[in-house]
Each structure stands twice: as structure tokens, then as C-alpha cells.
Amino acid sequence: MNIHVIIGEDDFLVSEAAKKSIGDGVGLEVIDSANASNAELQMADLRRAEESVQTPPFLDPKKVTWWKNVGFLPGGKSSEEVKLALEKFAEFLAAAKLPENQHFILSGPHLLKTSIFAKRLAGHAEILSFSAGKPWEEARNAAQRATEFADQLGLAFAPGVETKFTAIVGTDARSLMSEIAKLRDYLGEESKVITAEAVAAVTSPGAKVEAEVWDVTDAIGNRNLPAALEAIRKFELENGFAVFMSGMVEKFFRQLIDVKEGRVEGMAPFAVKKMTGFGAKWDIRELKAARARFLDLREKVVSGMTAGDVLIVTNLVRVLRRR
């Protein structure tokens, strides 16, 4: 197919996917809607995109039109005028008969799969989506991408180290690739295996490092109950909330106990410093009791013995109050 729709908030993944059609950049025309903040600008960009599709390569070896950063596709914010114009544009694309040496790429952060726009393009365009999933799904996907990026650079993670790596870097693909490149330079020609020690030595948090999840653990570490309750509200309506949250909180208390007792081998220096600050606000008995409480809760919600959603809040109230 010569029409490509690429959806995702991670600009690195979107750009890498677009490059497969762009190739060496010969005949590339870019229409960037990053600043198309109103209907007038959006309609102007849409007309430019349609005009570009209607103009074949002629004597040029090829032509690629990349309409990027289209944040007003169905699922984003747009006026009724723009919505209807996009539906007509999708119908136009579906009927277009592009020559072999002409490609059209459309990319944006969101696209509602059930929209008329998406349905009209179904079967007429290659639609690729990197849309964000649940936090735990994104963490799993990030570990897989990190493994793939390492392989591209001739490296491999030691067993389990990819999880430690993504816990620091986060899920942003560009940051994952950048930090793996740093590890390649750090390891040099002596080793091709990324160890926990190497990760702790040179890895830094990425550009979009799970800020919302850290809001929860930061509030718990600071024993700030109102902030903790406010932070977890962002996750309460997600499927699997109780399993994810109980596991995350239990892990946080486990790490805090390790730091409190001096077991910091393999931990990133910045994480040790941060956790040490939290540890000053807890005594070791409180931390062990809190961890046991959430470990027990996690086992119950995983086994289906309890729904757990309300118990997350109840247990947070109990462990964060000062005695």
C-alpha cells in the first residue's frame, strides 16, 4: 500500500516507522501541523495535503508526502467543519490510485478506531498504531523495545537487567535508544553484555519517565496522604488497577527497606539518594509492616479473593498515618 497512517504519541517510534517509506528523503514534502491550533490553520494544512497527493512525481524518481503531527484527527480536538473535511479527505484517499513511486504518510498522536475517518481508510491504507496502553503494558513494551534496540547495536541485556534499565529510563523510545547508545560507548569493545552494574553507572531517567507513577511513590515516600490519594485517582478506573497498584506499592516499600538496611548494590545512585531521603521519614518496623500489608493484599487480588480497589486506599491511609 502507498498510503500509510501512523498513530502514536512517541515521536521516535512514529518517525522510525515513517522512515521506511521516506527512504533516502528524495522527493520528500513535509506538511507539519504541530502549530495548527485552530480550524483555519487545520483546514489550510488539509488542503495542502490534498494538493500534494494530487500532484504526481512527473519526471522525479519518486514523491513522498508526510503530513505529520496531525493532532486534530478523530479522537483529538477539532471543529465540526474540520471533522467533516477529514471524512471527505479519507474518502478521497481511499479512492486515490497512487503510482508505485508515490507515497502518502499521515501521522498524529490519536485516532479513534471507530470513527468514520478510520473506517473509510480501512483496507485502503496501512494503519500502524503505537497508542499508549496501561502503565504496566507500557512497561512491558518498553522492556521489549529496549531488548530490540540493544540487539540493533550488537548488545544484549543480562537476564532481568532490561527491567532495571526501563525502570530508570521509562518508556520513551528515543530515550531508550539514547541510553543504550551510552551503554555501548561505556562498555566499549570489551563486553557486549549490559549488566546491572553498567546500568547503575551510566543510565539516566528518560524524557518521559513515568511521571504519574512516580507521583504516587513520591507521595508515599514523603508520607503525604492527600497527595498519594490524589495521585492514585489517575489510575483508579483502569482495568487491573488493584493488581498493578498493590504490586507497585509493595515493590516501593521493599526497595525502601533495602536502602534503609544498606542493600543498595545495583541501584542507580540517583535512586539511592532519593530513597535515602524518604527513609528518614520512616522507621524500619513501619516499612516492614507496610510491605507485609501490601504483599498480602497483592496476593489476594491476584488470586481473585478480593476486588481490592477500595482496600488500596484503606491500606494507604493506615500505613501513611503517623503513630
Side-chain angles (χ1 to χ4, degrees):
M1 290 184 179
N2 290 19
I3 299 172
H4 316 272
V5 179
I6 308 171
I7 303 300
E9 296 182 62
D10 193 314
D11 63 332
F12 180 79
L13 293 178
V14 170
S15 296
E16 289 299 299
K19 285 178 182 177
K20 295 179 180 179
S21 298
I22 292 172
D24 57 9
V26 173
L28 176 63
E29 179 182 349
V30 176
I31 302 168
D32 194 341
S33 289
N35 296 319
S37 56
N38 57 50
E40 181 180 358
L41 294 173
Q42 292 165 4
M43 290 294 290
D45 284 353
L46 198 158
R47 285 191 293 270
R48 288 178 58 201
E50 186 168 347
E51 289 170 2
S52 182
V53 174
Q54 290 175 326
T55 308
F58 293 119
L59 299 178
D60 295 325
K62 66 177 182 178
K63 178 179 181 179
V64 180
T65 303
W66 184 11
W67 188 15
K68 63 191 295 188
N69 296 317
V70 187
F72 46 91
L73 294 174
K77 293 182 179 180
S78 65
S79 66
E80 189 65 22
E81 175 192 19
V82 173
K83 177 183 175 182
L84 292 174
L86 283 168
E87 290 174 1
K88 290 182 180 178
F89 181 65
E91 189 173 347
F92 159 74
L93 286 178
K97 302 295 183 182
L98 300 183
E100 290 186 7
N101 60 341
Q102 183 178 1
H103 287 257
F104 177 77
I105 305 168
L106 171 64
S107 66
H110 307 285
L111 174 61
L112 187 62
K113 294 180 180 179
T114 56
S115 65
I116 294 175
F117 180 91
K119 289 179 179 179
R120 285 182 176 170
L121 284 178
H124 301 282
E126 176 191 41
I127 301 178
L128 183 62
S129 177
F130 296 107
S131 298
K134 304 294 187 296
W136 49 96
E137 293 171 341
E138 280 296 286
R140 183 177 64 247
N141 292 340
Q144 181 178 345
R145 287 185 188 123
T147 301
E148 292 171 356
F149 291 161
D151 183 63
Q152 291 173 20
L153 298 182
L155 302 176
F157 285 96
V161 174
E162 70 279 2
T163 303
K164 294 178 179 291
F165 174 75
T166 53
I168 298 172
V169 181
T171 60
D172 178 62
R174 191 180 302 278
S175 298
L176 292 172
M177 178 60 87
S178 175
E179 291 300 314
I180 290 173
K182 281 171 54 179
L183 285 164
R184 178 193 58 191
D185 295 340
Y186 174 78
L187 293 171
E189 296 299 323
E190 297 180 5
S191 176
K192 300 299 180 183
V193 178
I194 301 174
T195 62
E197 292 74 19
V199 169
V202 302
T203 302
S204 303
K208 300 176 182 177
V209 62
E210 301 185 44
E212 290 184 343
V213 174
W214 282 17
D215 285 346
V216 177
T217 53
D218 285 356
I220 293 173
N222 284 315
R223 303 194 73 146
N224 188 331
L225 179 59
L229 296 179
E230 179 65 28
I232 68 171
R233 286 195 183 101
K234 300 173 184 177
F235 301 94
E236 281 181 327
L237 297 179
E238 302 284 2
N239 292 330
F241 161 76
V243 174
F244 167 67
M245 193 60 65
S246 59
M248 187 191 71
V249 175
E250 184 275 324
K251 178 182 178 182
F252 175 74
F253 281 123
R254 174 164 32 97
Q255 291 175 331
L256 202 49
I257 291 169
D258 286 342
V259 171
K260 192 85 170 175
E261 295 184 336
R263 296 187 297 272
V264 298
E265 184 179 356
M267 292 183 66
F270 86 93
V272 174
K273 182 178 180 180
K274 189 174 187 179
M275 297 288 272
T276 299
F278 292 150
K281 301 176 182 181
W282 299 79
D283 68 43
I284 195 67
R285 289 174 300 175
E286 289 177 318
L287 290 175
K288 290 183 177 180
R291 187 205 168 190
R293 185 181 292 276
F294 276 91
L295 182 61
D296 179 65
L297 177 58
R298 176 172 172 76
E299 290 175 353
K300 287 179 178 178
V301 296
V302 169
S303 64
M305 293 173 60
T306 178
D309 292 28
V310 174
L311 293 178
I312 294 290
V313 173
T314 302
N315 280 281
L316 275 179
V317 171
R318 288 176 176 170
V319 302
L320 292 183
R321 65 187 180 189
R322 291 183 181 275
R323 292 174 175 75

